[in-house]
Amino acid sequence: MPADVLVIGLGYVGLPLAREAVRAGYNVTGYDTRAEITAALNSGCSHVDDVPDGQVAQMRAAGFRATHDEASIGQPDVIVICVPTPLSPADGPDLTAVRAATETAGSLLTQGTLVSLESTTYPGTTDEVVRPLLEKVSGLTAGIGFSLAFSPERIDPGNPYFGIRNTPKVVGGVTPGCAEAAAAFYGRICASVVLAKSAREAEMAKLLENTYRHVNIALVNEMAIFCRELDVDLWDAIRCAATKPFGFQAFYPGPGVGGHCIPIDPNYLSYKVRTLGYPFRFVELAQEINGRMPGYVTERAADLLNRHAQPVNGARVLLLGVTYKRDIADQRESPARPIARKLRRRGADVRYHDPHVEQWQVDGQDIGRADDLAPALAAADLVILLQPHSCYGDADFSAARLVLDTRGFLPAAANRETL
Ligand SMILES: NC(=O)c1ccc[n+]([C@@H]2O[C@H](COP(=O)([O-])OP(=O)(O)OC[C@H]3O[C@@H](n4cnc5c(N)ncnc54)[C@H](O)[C@@H]3O)[C@@H](O)[C@H]2O)c1
């Protein structure tokens, strides 16, 4: 049974995985190129919402250590790669971090090591990019000298019900033996392991999940726009449709998609499909529709102000919730930023309120933070609710002049309308 685990990349995916591996009894080291992250973790401070400081202390007490020094890693039995897979300037895959982490892993391989890639990427990456690099650096052969698998991270940050342990873990090996080794490793961490036919199917499973969300969110976003013109309350229509006990899953309109997954991962798939000479039309359409939502929200804001005889220019606009997701601090790709940018360009005086964000910048400029919600609501000409953080559930919005609720979160009232 392998005992020494190395997690490469200690971010939103790597750190919770390291915690679960520690809890499962593995001896875990975390490697990250950012020295400030490893130093903070070694002093008990977490930078990831889902792993509070107290849990880092527990990990440390159980032997976890973080390092940014490759030379101090030792010889792990299992290496899990959890590094970012962003988009290149041309919106294609940027595998720079995956390649660098693979080189690190390759230099640490010994007979029998298991390497698992968790970073989201296009089908074929494990076999065509990671495998040859590992073989070149280590001199060993996948499936004989070492095991190699892909296992997508399915983490849902901030979800209080599903985490790594109780979410089935999909595992695909580059050979059946590799899959078996990976399943044995994850089987100690997760309640259930689902074997894919190979690494390619495991890679595709993750992209299918995210593309499915992306496309369905785009569907309701497009419907939100025309339902308003048809005088149909889409939120109510979704509520009714969602009572069907089979064949329907509710998705809701919003100000646009954010985070590291939904706006980015489907691009990895459409890039791969384009190499075949044709586009992945569903994804490209979803990108177009979801990408237009910040502009649509801005237009709706302008329209609402206009109906109350006020121009956007000079209007005091308060944005509520600027993170990409409810009740977490992650701001990556949040649609709040393009919305603030568009409003500011039209002359609005934009401020924000968000209990999870101490400071917020748009285009390098600080946006004023409202510390207290009640006076900020009363002072604004227009309040735009972008993220339904729990704290807004109990708030009294009656003093707000105008409210645009982009999430269908607030009860109906005379001073507000939904997207
Ligand atoms: N955040 C999510 O909710 C989520 C969910 C599922 C899958 N994913 C995928 O998981 C992967 C990681 O995402 P994340 O959100 O954890 O990213 P992140 O940016 O939070 O963390 C990645 C960490 O890797 C480190 N790193 C970069 N290059 C490195 C290298 N060569 N060696 C060591 N460390 C290195 C970075 O310093 C950073 O701390 C991505 O492919 C992402 O698409 C993310």
Side-chain angles (χ1 to χ4, degrees):
M1 183 77 67
D4 289 342
V5 174
L6 172 69
V7 177
I8 301 185
L10 296 171
Y12 285 88
V13 167
L15 191 58
L17 176 76
R19 178 193 60 202
E20 294 309 321
V22 169
R23 285 179 177 166
Y26 290 111
N27 179 23
V28 183
T29 300
Y31 168 66
D32 200 291
T33 41
R34 286 164 63 191
E36 69 275 17
I37 285 184
T38 56
L41 289 171
N42 286 333
S43 64
C45 295
S46 172
H47 58 294
V48 171
D49 291 309
D50 286 347
V51 185
D53 291 353
Q55 292 183 359
V56 175
Q58 287 166 4
M59 289 166 70
R60 298 268 307 133
F64 172 78
R65 72 184 177 96
T67 180
H68 69 281
D69 175 15
E70 262 188 71
S72 75
I73 292 173
Q75 283 197 336
D77 303 298
V78 178
I79 302 173
V80 189
I81 299 175
C82 307
V83 296
T85 42
L87 295 178
S88 68
D91 277 354
D94 176 355
L95 293 180
T96 311
V98 169
R99 285 202 179 85
T102 301
E103 293 212 11
T104 303
S107 70
L108 298 166
L109 286 194
T110 52
Q111 185 69 31
T113 310
L114 163 69
V115 179
S116 174
L117 176 66
E118 293 214 3
S119 303
T120 307
T121 183
Y122 59 81
T125 308
T126 308
D127 211 18
E128 295 159 18
V129 178
V130 174
R131 176 186 191 149
L133 200 49
L134 286 174
E135 290 182 341
K136 185 174 150 208
V137 176
S138 69
L140 298 169
T141 303
I144 300 170
F146 67 96
S147 295
L148 174 60
F150 181 82
S151 179
E153 180 46 68
R154 304 166 112 181
I155 204 162
D156 182 18
N159 188 325
Y161 307 109
F162 290 102
I164 293 173
R165 255 190 280 189
N166 63 351
T167 304
K169 193 84 174 113
V170 173
V171 168
V174 298
T175 66
C178 294
E180 213 174 289
F185 164 63
Y186 285 113
R188 276 183 68 182
I189 296 176
C190 309
S192 81
V193 171
V194 180
L195 278 186
K197 204 168 155 189
S198 80
R200 302 174 91 82
E201 284 74 23
E203 290 162 332
M204 185 61 98
K206 171 70 186 177
L207 293 177
L208 173 59
E209 290 167 13
N210 284 355
T211 303
Y212 168 80
R213 282 185 61 74
H214 194 34
V215 166
N216 279 287
I217 292 167
L219 172 70
V220 287
N221 277 339
E222 186 171 32
M223 290 183 76
I225 295 170
F226 67 69
C227 276
R228 180 173 159 73
E229 297 202 41
L230 293 174
D231 195 21
V232 173
D233 181 342
L234 177 62
W235 303 89
D236 196 53
I238 295 171
R239 183 183 64 80
C240 295
T243 59
K244 189 179 181 187
F246 49 88
F248 182 83
Q249 188 188 345
F251 285 85
Y252 299 94
V257 287
H260 191 292
C261 295
I262 305 297
I264 292 177
D265 299 349
N267 287 55
Y268 271 65
L269 193 48
S270 57
Y271 156 84
K272 193 66 182 174
V273 177
R274 278 212 173 264
T275 64
L276 303 173
Y278 48 84
F280 184 1
R281 288 185 296 158
F282 261 113
V283 162
E284 296 189 4
L285 183 60
Q287 266 150 358
E288 186 191 320
I289 293 169
N290 289 334
R292 277 195 203 152
M293 291 313 284
Y296 178 67
V297 170
T298 310
E299 282 311 317
R300 287 287 303 276
D303 178 57
L304 188 51
L305 285 165
N306 186 49
R307 276 185 276 127
H308 290 79
Q310 186 166 10
V312 180
N313 195 353
R316 289 162 300 180
V317 179
L318 178 68
L319 303 181
L320 299 187
V322 296
T323 59
Y324 91 84
K325 200 170 180 212
R326 146 177 218 179
D327 291 338
I328 64 164
D330 194 345
Q331 300 167 35
R332 290 180 293 180
E333 312 291 327
S334 168
R337 205 163 258 122
I339 290 169
R341 181 178 300 127
K342 287 173 192 296
L343 287 167
R344 279 160 56 86
R345 279 194 191 139
R346 293 173 74 155
D349 172 11
V350 177
R351 287 165 63 76
Y352 82 99
H353 175 276
D354 193 316
H356 304 280
V357 180
E358 284 297 320
Q359 283 185 332
W360 194 49
Q361 291 199 325
V362 173
D363 298 332
Q365 295 203 333
D366 284 328
I367 304 296
R369 181 178 198 263
D371 296 328
D372 294 326
L373 183 59
L377 289 175
D381 297 309
L382 171 65
V383 175
I384 308 180
L385 188 138
L386 295 175
Q387 206 49 262
H389 291 319
S390 305
C391 62
Y392 301 134
D394 305 327
D396 178 4
F397 281 76
S398 59
R401 197 170 150 243
L402 296 171
V403 181
L404 176 59
D405 176 3
T406 68
R407 298 285 180 172
F409 179 67
L410 301 171
N415 66 348
R416 67 199 69 157
E417 62 182 46
T418 45
L419 200 61

